[in-house]
Amino acid sequence: MASTIQQQLTYHTKQAVKEIYGADLPDNQITIQETRKEFDGQLTVVVFPITRFSRKSPEATGNDIGAYLLRQLPELTAFNTIKGFLNLSLSDAYWTSLFTTAVMHEKFGRFPANGHKLMVEYSSPNTNKPLHLGHIRNNLLGYSVASILAAYGYEVIKANLVNDRGIHICKSMLAWQRWGNGETPGTSGMKGDHLVGKYYVLFDKEYKKEIDELRAHGHTEDDAKKQAPIIREAQQMLQRWEAGDEEVIALWKTMNGWVYDGFAQTYGRLGVDFDKYYYESDTYLLGKDIIQEGLEKGVFFRKPDNSVWIDLTADGLDEKLVLRGDGTSVYITQDMGTAQLKYDDFGMDESIYVVGNEQDYHFKVLFLILEKLGKPWAKGLFHLSYGMVDLPSGKMKSREGTVVDADDLMDEMVTTARKRTEELGKTEGLPEPEKAALYDIIGMGALKYFLLKVEPKKRLLFDPNESIDFQGHTGPFIQYTHARIQSVLTKGGYTQQQAIVVPEVLTESERDLIQLLSNYPATVEAAAKEFSPAYVANYGYEVAKQYNKFYHEETILKASDEAVRNFRLHLSATTARIIASAMALLGIAVPDRM
RNA sequence: GCGCCAAUAGCUCAGCUGGAUAGAGCAACGGUUUUCUAAACCGUCGGUCUCAGGUUCGAAUCCUGAUUGGCGUACCA
């Protein structure tokens, strides 16, 4: 692959410093950035670091280097130095050639396979309640990061570790047994996960009531929480589950089945999928052989009560329990075992856990332990920690019913999309099924973009009273730009096969658009390295915005010159393709009309 | 107490490994359509980048300390 203009500029700037000032300029001293709009040129070399070697003013140095570069690089047409910034103008021939040889290419922005395998574990729901807005963020992040890494050349495995057992599941089961009267999704008309969630909430109500009663009779809060009859019953149910009690297992299977049906619907609407499911009911006993291994290696130690610990105080952390005195697992025991299992199954080079930032400490400890155990794959583990989605009233809590339900929110988004679109009269004459599909694309696009445009680690505020926007820096804005381009292409009779003719001279908005489009691969790369879909989201917005500017400034179909018309159609088509490609990395569909 | 994370316009957010006068959107106000989709475009208004020091030719960005907020520090998951 030919070297980029940035690489050439770096090289020749070094040469210039060597020839003119007789000094070696280290690579990290060379900064090349895009020229700010208010100045002439497209690329800028920052000359301050060079003045150390030139012993001249920034302006004089810039002029020296600029003159040298102008002689060496035929792509350059002019330069100017302002306050220590050497602004370079590249010829229109350079930009059009960049466009036809690279940007226009079908696979522009997709990297060749790099031979590395990577797992993204995300979603990982509990099967005792429906998904809420926080889960949507998790799912979209996981799906998008997986797509971005695949585009960057990884072989990606999407995994979902389902938390399908434990005391929280037994709570729903017990409440259903007690108050359900045999209610099923079929008899109630409720989506399975919502039905099960209803009983989880009922359990909690009863539990709270019992706690209050006990406290009224003089128990301490801690004691009341342990002694409440209903929680004891749930614990007994968990023991029966672990003992393989047929009745409990049957109920567990039935109710989990309802939940899975519900989740499948929600996942389908979200457009996320998985290559591999792990179930905690299969993995919760794993990890004990690793405990043994750690004891033998002297990484772990046993306390008199028979519990097993690791001392991480030397690493600035605490002592951490890894196995209970009675020999049963804790959370981290399972996670050690599951990490080993996943590696044994796939042998991946890297493994990303998409989990909320409340578990930062847990993963820090987990990764450190695996490293101390000498697992060669431990250094490939990464916790993609994201911020919680908060409501104005604070954190969402399923037990207390203060959540924004995933299904409700999606319904609302699609309904709003329908309303907005019909107000604008955009879909008159369209058959109903097509309308419905379009509203789904727009509503989901608004929601997904809203969640993905924000840097993952930042927490997100969602105000249910303020609807998610459809104008400005939003998904629908980008979708609209795509639809608008498709409309122009259709009217212009454009086909991809048409040979491209390039004009001699570009307008500023054409040049800016080409330059922006040419940044697509670098954006994908940055997003992949930082595991941040936000880069791609914001890039898509920039492209749409720049295209709209171009669209308003120039006429396409009625361009005076046939070559210009042809070129602008190709430029539009390429813009649409890159928008569609970038949005696909976010799991956002783009319509051909809206 | 200790640890991790965040703090940028009234609100929601960008700002890449330090680089020019800190940028978008929303909200408010004004303008643009007999011409390719006005979910658009252009303009006005809006900032002591939480504070105080430090490093540097240069700091929203790096370092130290404080303040505020979130999370964690469970033999819960």
Side-chain angles (χ1 to χ4, degrees), chain A residues 443-459:
Chain A
M444 292 305 294
L447 175 61
K448 290 179 178 183
Y449 195 86
F450 174 80
L451 292 170
L452 288 173
K453 76 170 176 182
V454 181
E455 196 64 30
K457 74 175 167 188
K458 294 210 178 175
R459 53 192 267 262

Side-chain angles (χ1 to χ4, degrees), chain A residues 117-121 149 154 157 159 338-339 342-343 346-354 363 367 377-384 531:
Chain A
K117 202 188 273 188
L118 177 150
M119 177 179 280
V120 180
E121 181 198 300
L149 289 163
Y154 282 92
I157 303 134
T338 309
K342 292 198 291 189
Y343 181 76
F346 293 98
M348 59 279 190
D349 306 283
E350 290 175 55
S351 200
I352 317 289
Y353 294 78
V354 183
F363 281 102
F367 297 164
W377 39 268
K379 60 184 181 307
L381 303 174
F382 182 82
H383 174 204
L384 175 49
F531 306 118

